[in-house]
Amino acid sequence: MRVEKPLFLLDYDGTLAPIAPRPEEAFPHPGALEVLRALMVRYPLYVITGRRVEDLARLLPLPGLRVVGGHGLEEGEIGGESHPLFPVDLGPLRRVLPSCPGVWVEDKGFALAFHYRGAEDEERARACLEVWLAAHEELLRGLGLEVLPGKKVLEVKPKGASKGQAALRLWARYPGHTPIYIGDDATDETAFQVLKGKGLTFKVGPGPTLAEGRLEDVEAVLTYLKSYL
């Protein structure tokens, strides 16, 4: 299924790169850089990720690639500047971080991600995090924060930002283009929802989804993207 004037909106982890035990180990598929570089010349293209723009740049060294980071919390370009869209002070939360076996914290500056992938007992690690979050619910509310579940991660971030909101904002910049959103995680479902009936949406991998299409894996994603070259 192809469209004439696409606007590509692509997740990174699990979409352009296989899922890895730790974020810094999630290198792109060997063919991803070449495909993205060719698409960027022909069409508007953005990567919409939970990562910070500067962190993605270490894995995806494509100068000029436009990126929305933090699930819609910042925007920028690889090799250029990025700017936060929802500034927040996480200092009070950093002072009361949880101590849960197997959990490690990724401080993104504008959000805190609590990863439990690889914990000896992942269910226990998540349960510990949920107890901690419940105990600090009032603090989170006062700081204007919310919890965003992902694949073996719970992220605390400012309210009002989502991949769906980012997708609509970007689409408004390109009248006459059809958005094509591809992602694999629960965080991508907001984009699938808002773009339903408006463009093409693809869920990568198994599981329930609001996306209207499905691609088996990262390899299938690149095969689909190559059809536009």
Side-chain angles (χ1 to χ4, degrees), residues 118-152:
E120 187 173 338
D121 187 334
E122 291 182 347
E123 289 187 10
R124 182 183 177 189
R126 180 180 175 118
C128 177
L129 282 174
E130 290 175 343
V131 169
W132 176 79
L133 288 168
H136 294 87
E137 184 177 358
E138 187 173 338
L139 175 60
L140 296 181
R141 190 183 306 114
L143 293 173
L145 302 172
E146 64 182 356
V147 180
L148 180 68
K151 285 187 174 179
K152 300 188 179 180

Side-chain angles (χ1 to χ4, degrees), residues 191-199 201 210-212:
F192 298 152
Q193 182 178 29
V194 300
L195 295 177
K196 194 174 183 67
K198 301 179 177 70
T201 53
L210 295 172
E212 296 175 286

Side-chain angles (χ1 to χ4, degrees), residues 206-226:
T209 184
L210 295 172
E212 296 175 286
R214 194 179 294 270
L215 297 168
E216 184 177 356
D217 51 23
V218 176
E219 189 77 41
V221 172
L222 292 179
T223 297
Y224 175 75
L225 294 176
K226 286 177 185 177

